[in-house]
Amino acid sequence: MGDLSRRSFLKLTAATGATAAAPLTLNATAAEKVKTKAHIVIAGAGAAGLGVANRLANQLDGAKITIIDGKKKHFYQPGYTLVATGIKGSSYPTSGTSRYMPEGVDWIQEAVAEFDPVGNKIVTASGKAVNYDFLVVTTGMKLDYAAIEGMDVNRIGQNGLGSHYHSPDAAAKTWSAMSRFSEEGGQGIFLRPATEMKCAGAPLKFTFLTEHNLRRNGTRSKANLLYAAHSQSLFSVPIVHEKVRMLYEDRGIDTVYSHVLRKIDLDRKIATFDTPTGGSEIDYDFINVIPPMRAPDAVRNSPLAWRTGPFAADGWTEVDKYNLQHKVFPNVWCVGDIAGVPKGKTAASVKWQVPVAIDHLIAAIQDRTATSQYNGYTSCPLLTQYGRAMLVEFDYKNNLVPSFPGVIAPLEELWVTWVMKTMALKPTYISMVRGLA
Amino acid sequence: MNELDFYTLYVVFYEMMGMLFWILIALVIFGIGGFILALTREGGLQSRRLILSEILGLLGGFMALFIMAKVTISGFSDAGGPVDWLLVGLIWGGGLVGVTILSYAIMGMLNILNDSQRQKA
Ligand SMILES: Cc1cc2nc3c(=O)[nH]c(=O)nc-3n(C[C@H](O)[C@H](O)[C@H](O)COP(=O)(O)OP(=O)(O)OC[C@H]3O[C@@H](n4cnc5c(N)ncnc54)[C@H](O)[C@@H]3O)c2cc1C
């Protein structure tokens, strides 16, 4: 049976043999399962991939589900910022992927080397071809440190070099470099890349906490802090930019705009930025390097990537921004950081995206149309000092969409938000990865 | 957050506390059950015991705030707005009410046990 006709056949059996799609409720076990013989392949077993696998395993009966990822460790990445600021220990973000792997799912422990959506197959790093009826791409992104001339990730933690995005270990080393700086003072440089990035709030949070750490140590007067923004704003949502701009002014954090890190001299401690008026060299005593972020090569070089528009250069996937279905290959969904959509590169967005993508995928299995939509929800508890944070939640339209309107004010520095970030977010994340929340 | 219902809350709290979640639930059930049992067996509130429980309850309120501060590596001195003071109040109130009821229940149960032993003797 050809691939297309096999899919049509699957739709037919699903439509006749089964049931209404599981509604978008948590308690999927309570809903009747959808019978299908479809083979669904999930590429990437991070936050989104595992969430998708768990929900599919829960909602489908008879499907063959294969997940492909060579990484055996699972990282709760929002925890990196807490490690890099000394709030949590270095083991806090790390657990094992197998802990969250649903029963009955076939896990191929390799990377995907090639996507062939025309032939409905992927090829793994060892050359194994895997055919599918439906594909969910959840590979996250690649940190492109090589794009910064002179950067060496092996030297994170030494000579004033921090980079808390790299890994839990690098986050811990960033904390040791930052605390040394907080005792000695000097020039601190903070920045973000010009590409799309995950959790655009994290570089800002790290800057806020460094500033507060200096105050706690009584060394604030010995330090200059400079935040180098890549564009004309500190955050893509105008109202959030304004709030952060005011707070930075209040905390004495200097800001320069349209500065993109091109080169770093780790021995002489000089960072070179591209600016509209040419290169600008700035000395530092401490720097937190956040590298450019792009789609992993296998995705970027595949027909899944955007060919035109703002997401083409870095290879983000060409999906409908409201249901995450691929625009050219309708049996493919892309969820999480890899999706070429204007917002949403956070774990909080994954929590919203997964149920929508699954609703549409199951509808496709059943040959019906789903109506649920992802509105661009992105959230980022912006830590502004030790003990306080601002809840920042917004959508595609740059509207604030507070979860607790009238109770927890957005853009207000509150203890309750800090309590949520330090206590509740990891359990919520883990529950999402398990497909339960 | 998109799906906030009791199931989600349960899942998240269980993930946060593990077995401690069920120990707390057991304590709540034991506390309320014991309190009601003591009330019905003794035909009303024992004012002396209530006062003692309330004093323990006050300490319980402060203990709750202390534990919260430890767990979140912060404290109520970080409160920055009305909702924070509400949270401080809720945590303190939770500790107060919980410890008051629990200690009243424990003392009530001990009293009932003593009575029944005395009757047997
Ligand atoms: C420092 C930092 C702070 C953050 N702070 C927050 C925050 O406060 N709040 C928030 O909501 N989010 C935050 N995030 C973002 C959040 O962690 C990500 O948005 C989320 O993990 C995205 O999930 P994902 O599944 O798309 O990607 P990931 O969780 O990164 O998973 C991708 C998976 O795909 C695998 N993979 C990659 N390439 C291939 C391939 N070729 N074949 C097979 N598998 C592949 C990887 O091994 C990985 O397991 C933060 C991230 C960082 C780094």
Side-chain angles (χ1 to χ4, degrees):
Chain A
M1 206 183 290
D3 280 315
L4 251 177
S5 57
R6 174 170 154 81
R7 266 208 314 283
S8 317
F9 172 76
L10 287 167
K11 281 178 181 171
L12 193 71
T13 48
T16 50
T19 60
L24 276 178
T25 67
L26 284 162
N27 216 342
T29 34
E32 224 175 313
K33 290 192 174 194
V34 174
K35 288 199 172 69
T36 175
K37 293 260 175 279
H39 183 198
I40 303 162
V41 167
I42 304 164
L50 287 167
V52 166
N54 276 295
R55 284 195 180 236
L56 285 177
N58 210 9
Q59 295 183 21
L60 298 179
D61 178 11
K64 181 174 175 202
I65 303 170
T66 304
I67 192 161
I68 308 176
D69 192 333
K71 211 168 66 175
K72 293 175 188 66
K73 281 186 182 164
H74 183 83
F75 298 128
Y76 168 63
Q77 297 168 46
Y80 292 6
T81 311
L82 302 182
V83 174
T85 49
I87 298 161
K88 300 279 183 188
S90 63
S91 63
Y92 175 71
T94 309
S95 56
T97 302
S98 58
R99 265 182 70 182
Y100 316 110
M101 201 56 85
E103 256 177 55
V105 167
D106 183 21
W107 177 16
I108 300 177
Q109 297 188 10
E110 291 184 53
V112 174
E114 189 190 326
F115 289 89
D116 175 9
V118 179
N120 290 311
K121 71 167 197 283
I122 62 93
V123 180
T124 68
S126 71
K128 183 174 166 186
V130 183
N131 294 296
Y132 59 79
D133 299 305
F134 297 94
L135 172 69
V136 188
V137 183
T138 49
T139 57
M141 54 172 67
K142 164 178 138 177
L143 300 175
D144 194 0
Y145 281 100
I148 303 167
E149 198 186 323
M151 178 63 193
D152 179 358
V153 293
N154 296 315
R155 292 176 66 178
I156 296 171
Q158 300 165 22
N159 219 18
L161 174 67
S163 185
H164 84 285
Y165 268 64
H166 181 268
S167 57
D169 185 44
K173 288 177 172 158
T174 301
W175 166 233
S176 58
M178 190 264 256
S179 29
R180 222 170 299 132
F181 169 69
S182 301
E183 280 159 24
E184 295 166 2
Q187 171 76 50
I189 299 186
F190 308 86
L191 55 102
R192 61 151 286 172
T195 59
E196 295 288 322
M197 68 176 296
K198 43 186 160 189
C199 196
L204 299 167
K205 301 176 202 180
F206 185 83
T207 314
F208 273 123
L209 292 186
T210 306
E211 194 277 333
H212 191 198
N213 204 33
L214 284 156
R215 272 190 282 141
R216 294 199 306 186
N217 285 344
T219 47
R220 181 66 183 91
S221 58
K222 292 206 274 178
N224 269 325
L225 303 182
L226 177 74
Y227 188 88
H230 73 295
S231 68
Q232 278 302 310
S233 81
L234 293 163
F235 201 87
S236 68
V237 180
I239 192 169
V240 179
H241 156 75
E242 272 307 310
K243 181 71 191 192
V244 175
R245 187 191 62 73
M246 287 189 277
L247 288 174
Y248 272 13
E249 202 175 292
D250 177 59
R251 309 278 154 89
I253 300 169
D254 297 331
T255 310
V256 285
Y257 293 96
S258 299
H259 274 57
V260 180
L261 183 68
R262 170 171 33 101
K263 185 176 150 187
I264 188 163
D265 185 331
L266 298 175
D267 297 314
R268 291 166 58 224
K269 294 189 174 176
I270 300 171
T272 307
F273 291 85
D274 281 332
T275 78
T277 52
S280 162
E281 288 193 349
I282 309 178
D283 295 345
Y284 65 83
D285 296 291
F286 172 77
I287 188 168
N288 188 29
V289 172
I290 318 273
M293 302 183 198
R294 315 188 200 282
D297 295 341
V299 178
R300 200 173 167 198
N301 301 329
S302 79
L304 295 173
W306 280 97
R307 296 284 140 226
T308 55
F311 304 119
D314 296 320
W316 309 111
T317 55
E318 186 175 354
V319 291
D320 178 301
K321 67 179 185 178
Y322 295 113
N323 64 26
L324 307 159
Q325 186 172 25
H326 201 277
K327 289 192 169 197
V328 182
F329 306 102
N331 60 332
V332 178
W333 277 262
C334 304
V335 186
D337 292 347
I338 191 62
V341 296
K343 296 269 189 290
K345 295 207 185 328
T346 64
S349 317
V350 170
K351 184 173 180 298
W352 278 54
Q353 291 175 352
V354 168
V356 172
I358 294 227
D359 189 35
H360 284 263
L361 195 159
I362 292 180
I365 290 177
Q366 295 180 305
D367 206 11
R368 55 177 188 87
T369 318
T371 52
S372 57
Q373 287 199 340
Y374 168 65
N375 68 356
Y377 178 88
T378 308
S379 156
C380 171
L382 207 61
L383 309 173
T384 55
Q385 60 177 60
Y386 288 89
R388 279 192 201 162
M390 298 192 298
L391 199 53
V392 174
E393 300 168 282
F394 51 90
D395 63 11
Y396 281 139
K397 296 181 190 160
N398 287 336
N399 288 335
L400 294 180
V401 284
S403 288
F404 311 98
V407 183
I408 302 182
L411 301 182
E412 197 174 323
E413 295 179 84
L414 295 170
W415 179 54
V416 65
T417 312
W418 170 274
V419 170
M420 273 169 46
K421 170 80 187 173
T422 51
M423 270 185 86
L425 285 195
K426 186 176 173 192
T428 308
Y429 171 95
I430 300 289
S431 306
M432 170 196 85
V433 166
R434 291 189 196 279
L436 298 172
Chain B
M1 260 176 238
N2 48 349
E3 300 161 327
L4 197 66
D5 57 22
F6 279 110
Y7 183 68
T8 324
L9 280 180
Y10 157 70
V11 165
V12 171
F13 273 97
Y14 186 71
E15 190 60 50
M16 195 187 305
M17 299 193 265
M19 274 318 285
L20 187 65
F21 178 81
W22 289 114
I23 293 172
L24 281 180
I25 296 283
L27 273 180
V28 168
I29 294 172
F30 172 79
I32 293 174
F35 184 74
I36 293 173
L37 191 76
L39 271 187
T40 46
R41 280 284 189 97
E42 296 169 347
L45 276 171
Q46 304 288 311
S47 56
R48 265 245 194 117
R49 191 189 306 146
L50 186 64
I51 289 172
L52 189 61
S53 317
E54 280 171 347
I55 292 170
L56 289 173
L58 282 178
L59 293 177
F62 288 113
M63 206 168 74
L65 280 179
F66 177 76
I67 292 172
M68 195 66 181
K70 273 264 161 228
V71 172
T72 63
I73 322 145
S74 62
F76 57 89
S77 55
D78 290 310
V83 66
D84 289 344
W85 291 111
L86 190 72
L87 183 65
V88 169
L90 282 175
I91 294 165
W92 188 76
L96 177 126
V97 173
V99 172
T100 302
I101 291 182
L102 195 64
S103 43
Y104 190 96
I106 291 172
M107 286 187 274
M109 303 290 262
L110 288 177
N111 191 39
I112 292 167
L113 264 178
N114 273 347
D115 276 356
S116 65
Q117 270 170 0
R118 234 178 283 136
Q119 270 167 16
K120 267 191 209 156

